[in-house]
Amino acid sequence: MEGYPRRICDDKTCPQEVSRARLLFYAKTEELIGTMKVFCGRANPTTGSMEWLEEDEHYDYHQEIARSSYADMLHDKDRNIKYYQGIRAAVSRVKDRGQKALVLDIGTGTGLLSMMAVTAGADFCYAIEVFKPMADAAVKIVEKNGFSDKIKIINKHSTEVTIGPDGDMPCRANILITELFDTELIGEGALPSYEHAHRHLMQENCEAVPHRATVYAQLVESRRMWSWNKLFPIRVQTSLGEKVIVPPLELERCPGAPSVCDIQLNQVSPTDFTVLSDVLPMFSVDFSKQVSSSAACHSRQFEPLASGRAQVVLSWWDIEMDPEGKIKCTMAPFWAHSDPEELQWRDHWMQCVYFLSQEEPVIQGSVLCLVAHHDDYCVWYSLQKTSPEKNGRVLLARPVCDCQAHLLWNRPRFGEINDQDRTDQYVQALSTVLKPDSVCLCISDGSLLSMLAYHLGAEQVFTVESSAASHRLMKKIFKANHLEDKINMIEKRPELLTPADLGDKKVSLLLGEPFFTTSLLPWHNLYFWYVRTAVDRHLGPGAVVMPQAASLHVVVVEFRDLWRIRSPCGNCEGFDVHIMDDMIKCALDFRESKEAEPHPLWEYPCRSLSEPQQILTFDFLQPVPPQPIRAEGTIELRRSGRSHGAVLWMEYHLTPDSTVSTGLLKPAENKGDCCWNPHCKQAVYFFNTTQDSRAPPDSPRTVSYTVAFHPDTGDVTMDFTLSDALTC
């Protein structure tokens, strides 16, 4: 399906983060001034309260379009050219057989591939699009380009399409064109869709574009990537010597999350992993023949290139548009690409990181089997000493987390907890505020702060875990470290704490990382401030709060590639898609153009055009104020380049001498290259226009901003205005 939404979560295992996608359920509608309104419920990630919001009836539609990847795909020139070449070749093969070229295009999106087919000589195209707003747009785009007599848009799921005189199609098609792929190849349901199409909608011996897909894998050892999947021992330096926080055996044995970790693998340094195998072709799917969606496994025998610990499988795929394999579109990272200079950046298709259930030692020169397993939607890997066919095993069960950790912590959170330097910084800060008689209260989701406080000598430690699942996980961790009787864990929302929960003691040290699983944008963790306000009555005289404050920072940047997801396309391979541009702009103007969106910027290189600037401060020593906190000002652009947007992040001031940044980790280099915290998402506010700061020195080179924090809703609103602005 063209336009599959960009990643909102870091991977498919972030159930808590879905709340920020505004878990909408329709409770009541009413007619207001001729427009239908919908009351929507959402859990506010910043204030922690349940809210009812009045939304336009098209709110979900606008959000879906605004967050889609249509622009990214339309800018993917490599993809578009290869599809066009493959379509021309397929139409020619059918015509050479003396047949009419009848095309079925599943997931047509803008109708681009169908228009390519008609231009290539197809007699008729049946273009299927299940998303009605997109189907309506495709009708208009096809009409504007003059193809209405040759293309029929069918607003249905492909499995609902009928054949016959009174059906959606009078007869079966003989050319199947699809773009049903995600980063994992089959995650959008490509296999069931192909299976149904061949059985019910396509002629035998039909042509297919793409003709074939092949999935590749490479076994590696990587402490960095393994830290996204397992809890490492954590060392705590105390006045009495080193203490080690060990993971429970259940976490060590857990096979992990049952989903892929999709990332921009080209941004992972080769120094972060050791290659243990060649690139192995694991399995192929011929789309011109009957496809099966049944579970299967495919093994490849190999000899390890080096001795080490097998931990991670890196994977990607390519698609061949023709039977000869001369027209190929590949997702290979730079080190496996046939021509690294021709790498096409794209965000709708990336690369996959899979974690083995357990790390296994491998010896150079020995013979092993890497096995790819898949069902109709997911792929997973195992490492075996003999091939599955020889030992009788057909399919290893899909890994499912049984320790709770992989359901509560996403991959970046695992990496954050395993970051020893970060732990050391918290230990040092804690050491300066902790006293032997300290009564500590820790407020963060699934945090090890309470263990640090205990090991550093606090007299009594309380920690709050709001969810039952988080409570169970932390109980396992405490027990593995013999702290189940040393740390008092309270299972309730912190706002509901009573003196009895704290043993009628006053808190002398309130701690937070802060981290909360419902947070998506950097300022959502200001929930800690609301909790601090709610527990104010439990704080003793002179109580210390750590962090003592937070600040919001901003920098104007030029992205190397990420700007494409918001850039209008205009014409794509000779076809006018302005209607799609206008549709996206309308959806963005509905709300999203005035909001920042979260992105893990370590995956998306950018240059800073300004110096970082602090724009808001939040004093945790005081309760949340009733009035908004506002800031207005200008940002001077000091480097030449295209100003694509502003990046915002939070910094937490643990003590006057210790600050933790969720954004920039160090000053930008001479060229402005940015180094971002890899464990956090930063907020990106895309400008509607870009400013050419290569203009004459006496021309305006500033960005004006207005930013406000609203205590009643916890929202941060913002507006940026560029002087001397030019259209993208």
Side-chain angles (χ1 to χ4, degrees):
M1 181 197 307
E2 288 195 22
Y4 192 69
R6 287 198 312 279
R7 292 175 302 159
I8 293 179
C9 300
D10 298 282
D11 47 59
K12 299 176 186 174
T13 63
C14 310
Q16 303 89 353
E17 292 191 349
V18 177
S19 65
R20 185 52 186 174
R22 306 207 178 185
L23 293 171
L24 300 179
F25 56 92
Y26 300 109
K28 179 182 177 184
T29 60
E30 62 180 15
E31 197 77 24
L32 292 175
I33 320 178
T35 302
M36 188 70 75
K37 296 292 182 178
V38 181
F39 287 96
C40 306
R42 74 160 185 171
N44 189 307
T46 309
T47 66
S49 61
M50 185 67 183
E51 299 176 341
W52 289 96
L53 304 177
E54 182 183 276
E55 297 285 6
D56 184 276
E57 64 174 326
H58 300 301
Y59 169 74
D60 275 348
Y61 148 69
H62 286 296
Q63 190 177 64
E64 177 79 8
I65 293 295
R67 294 178 176 176
S68 71
S69 287
Y70 289 108
D72 177 27
M73 286 186 290
L74 293 174
H75 281 293
D76 188 344
K77 194 165 185 64
D78 177 61
R79 162 193 176 270
N80 300 335
I81 289 175
K82 301 294 176 55
Y83 260 99
Y84 210 167
Q85 292 173 345
I87 289 168
R88 288 194 190 101
V91 171
S92 294
R93 289 193 298 272
V94 170
K95 293 284 191 178
D96 289 345
R97 296 198 291 264
Q99 301 174 352
K100 283 189 174 183
L102 303 177
V103 173
L104 176 63
D105 175 8
I106 301 179
T108 193
T110 59
L112 175 66
L113 302 184
S114 286
M115 292 190 293
M116 288 179 175
V118 172
T119 304
D123 294 277
F124 203 84
C125 291
Y126 301 93
I128 300 172
E129 176 55 54
V130 69
F131 184 37
K132 189 177 188 311
M134 194 66 251
D136 293 342
V139 170
K140 296 176 183 177
I141 292 171
V142 166
E143 181 180 3
K144 186 171 185 179
N145 285 273
F147 296 110
S148 293
D149 59 333
K150 291 289 187 77
I151 299 175
K152 177 183 180 181
I153 305 297
I154 303 172
N155 180 211
K156 288 185 176 181
H157 194 282
S158 63
T159 58
E160 299 171 346
V161 171
T162 57
I163 301 288
D166 299 322
D168 299 304
M169 300 167 58
C171 61
R172 291 176 178 243
N174 55 14
I175 300 177
L176 178 57
I177 300 174
T178 63
E179 206 279 56
L180 298 170
F181 315 117
D182 66 348
T183 294
E184 201 172 13
L185 183 69
I186 65 173
E188 285 187 28
L191 296 182
S193 295
Y194 272 109
E195 185 175 43
H196 177 272
H198 277 290
R199 285 181 179 173
H200 302 285
L201 305 176
M202 302 304 300
Q203 300 176 17
E204 288 188 18
N205 303 315
C206 68
E207 300 289 342
V209 182
H211 179 83
R212 180 189 301 107
T214 302
V215 173
Y216 299 88
Q218 189 168 33
L219 188 67
V220 303
E221 175 181 356
S222 172
R223 179 177 174 83
R224 179 186 179 186
M225 286 184 272
W226 195 238
S227 76
W228 302 341
N229 183 59
K230 296 289 185 180
L231 181 61
F232 293 172
I234 297 169
R235 305 184 182 282
V236 183
Q237 302 298 330
T238 76
S239 59
L240 300 177
E242 183 180 83
K243 303 290 184 181
V244 180
I245 299 173
V246 298
L249 194 58
E250 191 173 345
L251 266 71
E252 292 184 335
R253 292 176 175 173
C254 180
S259 62
V260 65
C261 173
D262 54 341
I263 65 171
Q264 294 283 356
L265 200 51
N266 287 314
Q267 299 309 314
V268 177
S269 170
T271 61
D272 283 332
F273 60 90
T274 300
V275 170
L276 299 179
S277 78
D278 290 319
V279 175
L280 306 172
M282 296 306 300
F283 64 93
S284 295
V285 183
D286 187 337
F287 297 125
S288 69
K289 300 177 180 178
Q290 181 61 56
V291 172
S292 173
S293 62
S294 300
C297 67
H298 311 267
S299 64
R300 288 292 177 268
Q301 197 173 76
F302 72 99
E303 294 184 6
L305 300 176
S307 297
R309 303 194 68 80
Q311 298 168 327
V312 173
V313 176
L314 308 179
S315 183
W316 57 89
W317 49 264
D318 63 32
I319 45 178
E320 296 171 356
M321 301 298 183
D322 61 323
E324 296 78 22
K326 295 180 180 178
I327 308 170
K328 183 181 291 188
C329 184
T330 181
M331 307 307 118
F334 67 87
W335 66 85
H337 202 285
S338 58
D339 188 357
E341 297 298 320
E342 296 297 320
L343 273 176
Q344 168 73 52
W345 183 88
R346 47 176 68 94
D347 205 42
H348 58 107
W349 296 331
M350 293 177 281
Q351 295 79 34
C352 302
V353 174
Y354 296 94
F355 304 98
L356 296 179
S357 295
Q358 299 295 327
E359 63 178 1
E360 300 183 33
V362 299
I363 300 174
Q364 183 178 6
S366 62
V367 178
L368 296 171
C369 277
L370 185 63
V371 186
H373 311 259
H374 73 80
D375 54 23
D376 48 352
Y377 283 92
C378 295
V379 179
W380 61 98
Y381 285 86
S382 66
L383 188 63
Q384 301 178 11
K385 293 184 178 179
T386 58
S387 110
E389 292 80 6
K390 291 182 180 179
N391 62 19
R393 284 186 290 174
V394 177
L395 184 71
L396 186 71
R398 185 181 175 199
V400 176
C401 172
D402 55 21
C403 74
Q404 302 290 325
H406 301 89
L407 303 178
L408 292 166
W409 297 336
N410 58 26
R411 271 71 185 248
R413 178 59 173 167
F414 263 101
E416 186 173 60
I417 292 174
N418 284 322
D419 187 335
Q420 187 64 53
D421 290 340
R422 180 177 181 274
T423 297
D424 291 344
Q425 186 172 359
Y426 276 88
V427 168
Q428 292 170 8
L430 261 174
S431 299
T432 65
V433 298
L434 201 67
K435 298 178 181 178
D437 61 350
S438 290
V439 176
C440 300
L441 175 61
C442 301
I443 307 288
S444 281
D445 289 346
S447 174
L448 305 185
L449 266 184
S450 59
M451 303 176 75
L452 302 186
Y454 175 80
H455 284 312
L456 290 171
E459 180 181 281
Q460 195 161 7
V461 180
F462 297 90
T463 186
V464 175
E465 295 295 341
S466 301
S467 73
S470 183
H471 186 275
R472 286 194 297 270
L473 171 62
M474 296 310 298
K475 187 175 181 180
K476 293 173 187 176
I477 296 175
F478 291 163
K479 186 175 181 180
N481 289 274
H482 310 291
L483 297 177
E484 65 268 35
D485 298 326
K486 311 293 185 183
I487 298 175
N488 301 283
M489 186 160 45
I490 304 166
E491 185 185 343
K492 62 167 55 176
R493 291 188 61 81
E495 299 94 332
L496 303 178
L497 284 176
T498 66
D501 293 323
L502 302 172
D504 293 319
K505 293 191 175 182
K506 290 293 186 180
V507 173
S508 59
L509 178 56
L510 178 65
L511 299 175
E513 295 189 35
F515 171 85
F516 301 99
T517 55
T518 53
S519 299
L520 260 187
L521 290 164
W523 45 87
H524 289 168
N525 283 323
L526 285 175
Y527 174 55
F528 177 77
W529 200 10
Y530 288 84
V531 171
R532 177 258 176 270
T533 302
V535 303
D536 188 66
R537 66 186 185 278
H538 300 300
L539 302 183
V544 175
V545 180
M546 192 188 98
Q548 63 180 21
S551 50
L552 182 64
H553 297 248
V554 65
V555 67
V556 176
V557 302
E558 175 185 49
F559 286 108
R560 183 193 299 173
D561 298 296
L562 189 62
W563 60 271
R564 300 174 195 273
I565 68 174
R566 282 292 188 88
S567 178
C569 186
N571 286 278
C572 183
E573 302 308 314
F575 302 98
D576 187 342
V577 293
H578 279 92
I579 290 172
M580 187 70 239
D581 293 336
D582 294 341
M583 186 178 178
I584 294 175
K585 185 178 186 304
C586 178
L588 289 170
D589 289 345
F590 182 75
R591 178 176 299 160
E592 302 276 338
S593 64
K594 295 296 184 182
E595 292 183 349
E597 58 185 61
H599 289 281
L601 289 187
W602 73 268
E603 296 184 54
Y604 303 102
C606 60
R607 297 173 53 245
S608 63
L609 302 184
S610 70
E611 294 302 315
Q613 196 163 315
Q614 179 176 307
I615 51 177
L616 291 179
T617 58
F618 312 93
D619 184 2
F620 294 165
L621 300 181
Q622 302 297 325
V624 177
Q627 304 84 11
I629 303 174
R630 303 180 185 275
E632 296 182 1
T634 58
I635 304 170
E636 182 182 352
L637 304 182
R638 298 189 175 185
R639 294 185 180 90
S640 63
R642 286 280 183 176
S643 49
H644 292 128
V647 178
L648 300 98
W649 69 95
M650 296 289 290
E651 294 190 0
Y652 294 99
H653 309 288
L654 306 181
T655 67
D657 302 317
S658 182
T659 296
V660 173
S661 173
T662 67
L664 283 177
L665 294 182
K666 59 183 181 181
E669 300 174 355
N670 291 336
K671 294 182 179 180
D673 294 338
C674 298
C675 178
W676 300 103
N677 186 326
H679 310 312
C680 305
K681 287 184 177 181
Q682 292 73 39
V684 179
Y685 182 104
F686 287 101
F687 299 151
N688 289 329
T689 56
T690 61
Q691 182 176 31
D692 187 357
S693 55
R694 288 165 290 206
D698 58 346
S699 64
R701 300 176 60 188
T702 60
V703 176
S704 302
Y705 66 85
T706 301
V707 179
F709 169 71
H710 304 273
D712 55 337
T713 63
D715 291 334
V716 173
T717 57
M718 61 195 71
D719 189 29
F720 291 86
T721 304
L722 290 78
S723 57
D724 191 35
L726 300 175
T727 302
C728 289

